[in-house]
Amino acid sequence: MRILGVDPGYAIVGFGLVEAARGQVRMRTYGVITTPAGLPLSKRLLQIDRDMERLLDTLKPDVVAVEELFFNTNHTTGIAVAHGRGVILCAAERYGVPLFEYTPSQVKLAVTGYGKAEKRQVMDMTRRILKLQSLPKPDDAADALSVALCHARSATSRLPRTARTGTTV
């Protein structure tokens, strides 16, 4: 199964493609989609949409796993990120690939075994699980690989899941 993990944003969108088969997970590629800071939000969203379409056509994932948003203190930035996330969800839907969504806690739990793990712990475990020499850069790409790993581990669970929410039934 080819899993495209996505860490949503509007300035930087992280992506990571892993291949999962028979309990083994291998990293295929990772990177980021970036948009120029001076562009209006609408133009940034259009660029994300076009780049996601190209990415989906090129990588041909079997599923897309996207991290849900966590609002901390800056709600204005969070709203713009939510717009970017919406574009990503629409691109995946238009491509016709099954879409799964995971909370940050679900990603942390799947990758480290602890739902409140620190970011560095998640990144280090991602590196170890994928047998990488170093942490993927930038962090957005590493986060996307973590989301893909989360799905790889969730997809092999014996618990039935719903495709739209990623929640256990």
Side-chain angles (χ1 to χ4, degrees):
M1 172 187 327
R2 292 171 62 84
I3 305 163
L4 178 63
V6 181
D7 179 40
Y10 68 95
I12 302 174
V13 175
F15 68 87
L17 184 74
V18 300
E19 200 166 85
R22 295 190 251 356
Q24 299 296 313
V25 183
R26 293 181 11 188
M27 189 277 298
R28 287 299 179 200
T29 190
Y30 62 85
V32 293
I33 294 170
T34 59
T35 62
L39 285 182
L41 181 60
S42 60
K43 291 192 185 306
R44 291 174 116 175
L45 297 176
L46 181 60
Q47 182 179 337
I48 291 168
D49 182 57
R50 289 178 177 161
D51 288 350
M52 278 300 299
E53 187 174 322
R54 260 184 253 123
L55 196 62
L56 291 164
D57 281 340
T58 302
L59 300 181
K60 300 186 182 346
D62 297 313
V63 299
V64 173
V66 180
E67 188 169 42
E68 291 183 2
L69 297 182
F70 171 74
F71 286 95
N72 196 6
T73 54
N74 191 340
H75 292 283
T76 303
T77 300
I79 291 168
V81 172
H83 289 312
R85 186 175 180 280
V87 168
I88 292 162
L89 297 178
C90 284
E93 190 66 36
R94 188 171 50 250
Y95 187 75
V97 64
L99 181 63
F100 296 83
E101 300 174 60
Y102 297 97
T103 66
S105 294
Q106 287 174 310
V107 174
K108 291 174 181 181
L109 182 63
V111 175
T112 69
Y114 179 56
K116 294 182 181 182
E118 298 289 325
K119 184 176 182 79
R120 280 278 163 234
Q121 292 172 304
V122 177
M123 293 175 88
D124 187 54
M125 282 304 296
T126 297
R127 181 189 62 77
R128 289 174 184 223
I129 292 166
L130 294 174
K131 298 178 178 91
L132 303 174
Q133 294 295 319
S134 59
L135 288 172
K137 294 289 180 189
D139 289 356
D140 308 86
D143 292 345
L145 284 169
S146 298
V147 176
L149 278 176
C150 175
H151 182 72
R153 291 185 164 196
S154 298
T156 58
S157 168
R158 294 183 184 256
L159 295 172
R161 304 181 73 73
T162 60
R164 289 290 159 211
T165 63
T167 57
T168 304
V169 183

